[in-house]
Amino acid sequence: MEDKLQEKAVLVGLNITTNVKKIDDIDINESMEELKELVKAAGAEVLASVIQNKPARDAAYFIGKGKVEEIRDYCQMLGATMIVFNDELSGAHMRNIEDVTGLKVIDRTALILDIFAQRALSKEGKLQVELAQLKYRLPRLYGMGGQMSRTGAGIGTRGPGEQKLEVDKRHILNRAADIRKELREVKQNRETQRVQRLKSNIPIVALVGYTNAGKSTLLNELIKTHKDYETEKEVFVKDMLFATLDVTLRKATLPNKRDFLVVDTVGFVSKLPHDLVEAFKATLEEVKYADLILHVIDATNSSFELQKQTTESVLKELGADDKKTIIVYNKIDRLELDIYPRNREDRIYISAKKGINMDILLKMIENALMEDTYQVKLLLPYDKGNIFSKIKEKYNVDYFEYMENGTQLEVSLDEEDYNVYKQYIVEE
């Protein structure tokens, strides 16, 4: 984007000063810093940040009319083209603030939706974002005034915003119904593919975590262990929020030569719009079917504990909070030596980019995935060929050989099959 076309933003945050417990524990300064990164990820330049301390939200102007007039003058002095609020605004708030400032006003939710609209590549991802945007706009149809009549250029107007902005409620509801129908069809296709994956009995490892924690970099390192690895199979990596959105599946190999699937998921962020969590639930469902979760955390971020809680709350919402999990603190190459704790059974400190402790992580993944399996050597009489076929269909058979008195094979069985075929075990 050329500088002359780049939007210039002033950020505004409201800090509630009453003693009433906040909905979340995120510090206003940290939240504003994250908003700054989001605006940059959307393609705009941040000129300044303003925090208004107030005991409660103003009913008409959110931060108070006087403060809005002050911000208007500040924006004129700086040459700002838009104002971005750190909280979700109502349509009336937006209209009132726009009337006073004469500038485009968007909130944190619209900003995140815009980034998703830019980054979604798959058909499903695009449909999910559009549905979330429509649900966001529906209650604001009659309150946003000028915002709804803008013809579509820049942040806050992508996706369905590029279509007819003066669309009425009926049109939005009809379009939303069409999208839901398309998503059901896409979901059926994905479920068919998932059934095939589960049938293959290849373990699945899901990467989850805050956006920009290094999940995609970690995936690219893990897949280098597979014999069919090619650079074309690597996913896009960039030091920015929401660099990748669509779920990615790739094959990797454990130290014991067994294959496993790595699933990279969309990153999380504080105050992630509920409609967006809802929209991407179908995609994030992949986490529910994983055998192991790698919760990737940026060890260099001062707010990593809060980010960890954000991710855990989304996992809980998805019903995946009881999964076997390894906490992976990433980017330790950027830390001073010896200031992080020792690795433990359920956590590890790595640098995916520099390859630090990747061998230990792979061994931890192997131990976690193999924990509930039995590595055995079976000898199947030749008249039990049907059993051999069943095992080959369900498992990756590590080795087999035709002997004089039957077929000998090495395989890792789950507990149920271990008990079924234990009479044929010759060695454990």
Side-chain angles (χ1 to χ4, degrees):
M1 184 184 288
E2 296 178 22
D3 287 344
K4 64 179 181 180
L5 299 175
Q6 190 177 31
E7 294 185 83
K8 300 179 186 297
V10 167
L11 315 185
V12 179
L14 176 63
N15 184 36
I16 306 292
T17 55
T18 54
N19 292 326
V20 178
K21 193 178 186 299
K22 295 180 183 179
I23 294 171
D24 55 51
D25 298 314
I26 297 170
D27 179 76
I28 183 66
N29 294 305
E30 292 173 354
S31 187
M32 290 296 287
E33 191 60 33
E34 187 175 88
L35 183 68
K36 180 180 177 181
E37 291 303 313
L38 286 168
V39 171
K40 284 160 65 177
E45 179 188 351
V46 176
L47 300 180
S49 294
V50 178
I51 295 174
Q52 167 73 327
N53 295 308
K54 217 173 148 52
R57 294 181 174 89
D58 183 77
Y61 293 92
F62 194 72
I63 56 171
K65 189 174 182 182
K67 194 66 177 180
V68 170
E69 289 171 343
E70 184 184 315
I71 288 170
R72 173 196 63 198
D73 298 339
Y74 192 36
C75 289
Q76 287 175 354
M77 182 184 76
L78 294 174
T81 59
M82 67 184 228
I83 303 169
V84 183
F85 278 75
N86 192 36
D87 296 279
E88 190 167 310
L89 303 178
S90 68
H93 280 139
M94 288 185 176
R95 184 193 64 226
N96 293 339
I97 297 168
E98 280 192 344
D99 286 346
V100 172
T101 63
L103 293 175
K104 177 168 69 174
V105 175
I106 68 169
D107 60 18
R108 186 186 181 97
T109 300
L111 177 67
I112 293 173
L113 288 170
D114 184 89
I115 295 170
F116 274 50
Q118 292 182 57
R119 305 280 165 74
L121 298 175
S122 68
K123 178 185 177 183
E124 183 178 21
K126 289 175 180 176
L127 288 171
Q128 287 168 331
V129 172
E130 184 174 354
L131 181 61
Q133 285 182 313
L134 291 171
K135 288 172 74 175
Y136 169 81
R137 288 189 176 164
L138 185 58
R140 293 168 174 78
L141 265 178
Y142 306 110
M144 291 171 74
Q147 172 121 354
M148 289 308 292
S149 63
R150 285 200 293 268
T151 53
I155 295 169
T157 61
R158 276 173 271 254
E162 291 178 345
Q163 301 167 12
K164 190 178 173 191
L165 280 184
E166 57 276 7
V167 65
D168 61 14
K169 185 176 181 180
R170 186 181 300 278
H171 185 107
I172 287 184
L173 291 172
N174 288 342
R175 177 61 187 145
D178 290 342
I179 292 174
R180 287 191 182 96
K181 183 180 176 184
E182 287 186 70
L183 283 171
R184 279 195 295 272
E185 293 172 1
V186 174
K187 185 178 180 181
Q188 285 176 351
N189 292 335
R190 191 178 58 252
E191 283 177 351
T192 302
Q193 294 169 350
R194 184 186 293 136
V195 167
Q196 292 301 318
R197 284 202 305 275
L198 295 174
K199 262 187 177 179
S200 70
N201 209 48
I202 298 178
I204 299 171
V205 175
L207 306 181
V208 303
Y210 217 73
T211 181
N212 206 32
K215 296 186 301 299
S216 297
T217 303
L218 178 55
L219 178 138
N220 289 341
E221 284 303 303
L222 290 172
I223 66 174
K224 287 177 183 177
T225 59
H226 197 265
K227 64 180 188 301
D228 296 331
Y229 163 77
E230 297 170 348
T231 53
E232 291 77 18
K233 292 182 180 178
E234 292 190 6
V235 295
F236 177 71
V237 172
K238 193 170 182 182
D239 186 15
M240 66 193 304
L241 303 189
F242 300 120
T244 51
L245 273 188
D246 297 299
V247 169
T248 307
L249 283 114
R250 297 287 188 272
K251 277 188 178 180
T253 305
L254 296 170
N256 67 3
K257 307 303 180 190
R258 288 209 52 190
D259 288 350
F260 67 100
L261 281 173
V262 190
V263 182
D264 189 13
T265 60
V266 62
F268 305 131
V269 69
S270 64
K271 301 184 183 179
L272 189 66
H274 182 73
D275 284 342
L276 210 49
V277 175
E278 282 296 311
F280 275 83
K281 259 187 182 176
T283 309
L284 291 167
E285 262 180 2
E286 296 293 345
V287 177
K288 288 168 62 176
Y289 296 92
D291 299 285
L292 174 68
I293 291 176
L294 299 186
H295 182 167
V296 186
I297 295 171
D298 179 356
T300 67
N301 194 297
S302 59
S303 305
F304 71 77
E305 280 296 341
L306 288 172
Q307 295 182 355
K308 181 170 177 280
Q309 290 168 23
T310 299
T311 303
E312 287 171 348
S313 67
V314 177
L315 288 175
K316 188 171 185 178
E317 198 172 334
L318 292 167
D321 54 323
D322 59 346
K323 288 280 180 184
K324 195 183 300 182
T325 303
I326 296 174
I327 308 293
V328 181
Y329 289 95
N330 191 24
K331 306 185 183 181
I332 62 167
D333 56 301
R334 298 187 188 177
L335 295 176
E336 304 219 359
L337 292 177
D338 301 326
I339 68 165
Y340 48 89
R342 291 180 178 275
N343 298 328
R344 293 190 346 210
E345 187 179 341
D346 61 346
R347 70 182 56 192
I348 183 172
Y349 295 80
I350 71 160
S351 168
K353 189 175 182 180
K354 300 289 186 181
I356 299 171
N357 285 344
M358 284 299 296
D359 54 338
I360 301 173
L361 174 60
L362 277 163
K363 194 64 185 173
M364 287 174 72
I365 294 171
E366 178 181 292
N367 291 340
L369 292 177
M370 297 295 110
E371 191 175 52
D372 300 320
T373 63
Y374 299 82
Q375 183 72 28
V376 297
K377 188 180 287 185
L378 303 176
L379 182 62
L380 300 174
Y382 286 117
D383 62 351
K384 300 296 181 183
N386 60 324
I387 295 178
F388 184 42
S389 299
K390 277 183 187 176
I391 291 175
K392 277 187 71 176
E393 186 180 343
K394 185 173 180 179
Y395 297 99
N396 269 346
V397 175
D398 299 325
Y399 170 83
F400 73 92
E401 182 181 356
Y402 295 116
M403 311 290 285
E404 186 178 335
N405 53 346
T407 308
Q408 187 169 282
L409 60 147
E410 295 176 14
V411 65
S412 295
L413 300 176
D414 61 30
E415 188 169 3
E416 183 182 351
D417 285 339
Y418 174 82
N419 290 324
V420 171
Y421 304 126
K422 66 195 311 181
Q423 60 186 303
Y424 303 112
I425 296 174
V426 291
E427 186 181 316
E428 291 191 50

